Amino acid sequence: MPAFLEHGTRRLHPTGQWAVRQARNLAADFDTRMESLRFMPRDRDTKYTEAFDAVFQSEDVNVLLSAPRAPRMNAHCERVIGTIRREALNHVLIVNEAHAHHVLGRYQDHYNGHRPHQARDQLPPDVSEEPAAERQHGHPYKLLRTRILGEAINEYRYAA
């Protein structure tokens, strides 16, 4: 399953096998940020057709093909695919395509909204600054745990 990763923000955008439609949706999702994109590196998988490339070329984004059998040419995307496998897919038994979409969608929400990223000073892609922890009536901070994907992932937040 292909995935789009914004290099600067580390925001994850997974797609399905209907790559052309998803590319159009992605371009609409990027909206004004599409102007800042100059390159769209991709591998040589057959799911990427001329119509797929045309979506990005119409937005003046150059499509760059990676060399055959050279995974290091798109290291950021290869890294995030490994992260998805290690943190989510290795811990969940996927039963069908709908379940896979649910699991990957839930993981995308976690990845973009909660998971810290070193390249962003430990902030998730959708967060601009660390939330301030507040003391409640002189008591120490209280943490709340949210279990994601059947306890495969835990998210922690300060209680409000």
Side-chain angles (χ1 to χ4, degrees):
M1 180 174 283
F4 290 93
L5 180 69
E6 285 182 67
H7 180 72
T9 64
R10 298 298 196 264
R11 186 161 167 66
L12 177 64
H13 301 277
T15 65
Q17 55 184 298
W18 52 94
V20 175
R21 187 174 75 201
Q22 294 296 72
R24 287 186 189 124
N25 292 346
L26 181 69
D29 185 37
F30 276 129
D31 194 29
T32 58
R33 292 182 296 166
M34 196 68 159
E35 297 167 2
S36 67
L37 299 178
R38 297 181 307 170
F39 304 105
M40 206 290 288
R42 69 165 181 83
D43 62 20
R44 295 172 180 268
D45 196 305
T46 57
K47 75 175 106 341
Y48 302 115
T49 61
E50 290 179 21
F52 178 88
D53 292 345
V55 171
F56 292 99
Q57 291 167 346
S58 70
E59 298 286 339
D60 293 326
V61 176
N62 294 324
V63 176
L64 303 176
L65 299 178
S66 62
R69 300 181 186 206
R72 291 184 182 164
M73 288 190 74
N74 197 1
H76 291 285
C77 213
E78 294 293 333
R79 172 78 184 254
V80 78
I81 289 168
T83 298
I84 293 167
R85 285 183 180 148
R86 283 187 303 278
E87 293 183 5
L89 299 179
N90 287 352
H91 303 282
V92 178
L93 179 62
I94 304 294
V95 294
N96 58 30
E97 185 176 351
H99 186 230
H101 283 285
H102 171 75
V103 168
L104 292 172
R106 189 65 185 102
Y107 184 77
Q108 177 187 359
D109 294 342
H110 165 74
Y111 187 92
N112 290 334
H114 187 78
R115 186 182 181 280
H117 296 264
Q118 284 183 342
R120 299 200 70 243
D121 294 325
Q122 302 303 327
L123 292 175
D126 289 345
V127 175
S128 58
E129 61 184 45
E130 187 70 33
E134 299 179 12
R135 288 183 171 256
Q136 292 182 338
H137 310 293
H139 296 287
Y141 307 118
K142 183 176 180 182
L143 283 176
L144 297 177
R145 177 175 68 172
T146 304
R147 295 176 177 159
I148 309 295
L149 297 176
E151 299 186 24
I153 299 171
N154 292 306
E155 293 181 351
Y156 296 93
R157 290 175 175 54
Y158 288 109

